[in-house]
Amino acid sequence: MSHILFRAAIPLAMIGGLFWPAVLTYTFVAGERATAQVAECHRGSGRSPLTCTGTWRTADGDTGSGEIYGLSRSDAGRTVEVRVGPLGPYLPGLKAAAAPVSLSVAWLASFTALTVMQVRAAKRARRLLAEPGPRGTWPSRKCADRHGQGRAHARRPALGFGGHASRPASAAPGVKTTHWEVRAPAGQPLFRVEMRRAGKFAPELVVRDPSGVSGHIIRRAGDNSPGGDALLALDGAWVGSVVPAPGTKRGAYEFRDDRGVMAARSVSRMPEWVLRLEPTGSPLLTRLALAFTIGQLRRYR
């Protein structure tokens, strides 16, 4: 349901971005003509826009007072011909249209780019879900059964999220931490995760077994590493990497062990994620891939 609402919100937001230009067009073309007496024009503190106020009278004799839009400072004390629309009186021209049209163009460009990203993400997710293979493809918080025809069937959540882990060693001062655990269908904990955030840096994940004794770390790797994120043992030993999928920078990842063998793949289909586990993957890489994917869901909360 969340991804349906997300996808529905994008076209609605794009339509909303056209509201202001549409109202201005109506005002300039069909708005009621009026004569306005501009009382004053002034700016507030900083870079606040120019505000002009005054009174106006329409051709039908109706009067009004308040802010008048599309004027310049030199219009103070003058009488100007305006058009009165749903948002008030405007002096027709580029000055009145420049700001709202610029904002609307930027708004539409942003949501157009988001739509393109969403379409590409959906295509990647469909390709991943359509691949034939053994069981082991999960949309976020839902388990998908693989069938002989390669179709995915979503069923009740097979993984539980929540609870509190026995906390490992405290993070450094100024680092925000979040804890969660992942449980099997029967309810027993599979592993526990601590997400550590420091400023604008990508969060670090500490993944521990239910006992809290052994574990691994997922952290942003250095420039000389084979992947975007390193999969490390607690003693720093390299056990694998998280590599952006070919042709992508984010939103699609490959999980490889220390020999470079593919263990899992994950892609975002906005706002959900799809995780496919390869038959060659070890239980350790499976656990770290699942922790990383859940971390992507929780990262922006």
Side-chain angles (χ1 to χ4, degrees):
M1 178 63 71
S2 60
H3 70 280
I4 295 176
L5 295 176
F6 179 81
R7 291 168 185 168
I10 292 180
L12 291 177
M14 295 181 69
I15 294 173
L18 296 173
F19 172 77
W20 204 352
V23 171
L24 280 183
T25 301
Y26 169 81
T27 299
F28 292 169
V29 174
E32 191 172 8
R33 296 179 182 274
T35 301
Q37 179 64 44
V38 184
E40 61 175 356
C41 293
H42 65 276
R43 294 185 185 274
S45 58
R47 297 183 178 181
S48 59
L50 181 69
T51 299
C52 295
T53 57
T55 59
W56 58 90
R57 177 183 294 273
T58 68
D60 295 335
D62 295 331
T63 60
S65 63
E67 190 167 353
I68 305 172
Y69 305 95
L71 303 176
S72 60
R73 189 185 294 271
S74 60
D75 290 320
R78 295 178 53 196
T79 299
V80 295
E81 298 299 320
V82 297
R83 291 268 193 168
V84 182
L87 300 181
Y90 277 82
L91 178 67
L94 293 178
K95 185 180 293 294
V101 169
S102 298
L103 289 174
S104 296
V105 168
W107 178 275
L108 292 174
S110 299
F111 279 94
T112 299
L114 183 59
T115 301
V116 172
M117 291 172 57
Q118 183 191 40
V119 170
R120 290 177 178 174
K123 288 182 178 179
R124 288 196 298 262
R126 283 197 299 269
R127 288 196 297 266
L128 193 60
L129 285 169
E131 289 185 15
R135 295 173 183 265
T137 301
W138 284 274
S140 63
R141 303 197 181 202
K142 297 178 183 178
C143 181
D145 289 333
R146 303 300 302 177
H147 299 284
Q149 294 79 10
R151 299 176 61 187
H153 171 66
R155 58 182 171 84
R156 289 179 179 271
L159 298 173
F161 301 86
H164 294 279
S166 54
R167 301 195 175 193
S170 300
V175 176
K176 298 180 180 179
T177 61
T178 304
H179 299 79
W180 74 86
E181 67 179 9
V182 177
R183 305 187 190 99
Q188 69 272 26
L190 297 177
F191 58 87
R192 293 164 173 166
V193 182
E194 177 187 30
M195 177 186 287
R196 298 177 174 179
R197 307 169 189 250
K200 297 182 179 179
F201 295 101
E204 175 182 281
L205 301 180
V206 180
V207 185
R208 293 182 177 269
D209 64 11
S211 68
V213 176
S214 62
H216 293 78
I217 299 173
I218 305 175
R219 66 161 58 117
R220 191 69 180 171
D223 295 335
N224 297 325
S225 67
D229 288 82
L231 307 178
L232 307 171
L234 293 182
D235 61 4
W238 185 278
V239 299
S241 60
V242 184
V243 185
T248 65
K249 293 183 179 180
R250 63 181 66 87
Y253 299 96
E254 297 176 352
F255 302 84
R256 298 180 180 272
D257 62 18
D258 55 353
R259 297 170 297 168
V261 177
M262 181 90 70
R265 287 174 289 166
S266 69
V267 298
S268 168
R269 62 177 181 183
M270 301 175 69
E272 295 182 327
W273 281 76
V274 175
L275 173 64
R276 178 183 176 87
L277 305 177
E278 303 297 338
T280 54
S282 65
L284 169 60
L285 267 294
T286 295
R287 181 165 67 249
L288 295 180
L290 186 55
F292 179 89
T293 304
I294 298 172
Q296 297 301 303
L297 289 167
R298 290 175 169 263
R299 182 173 177 178
Y300 299 104
R301 290 184 178 179

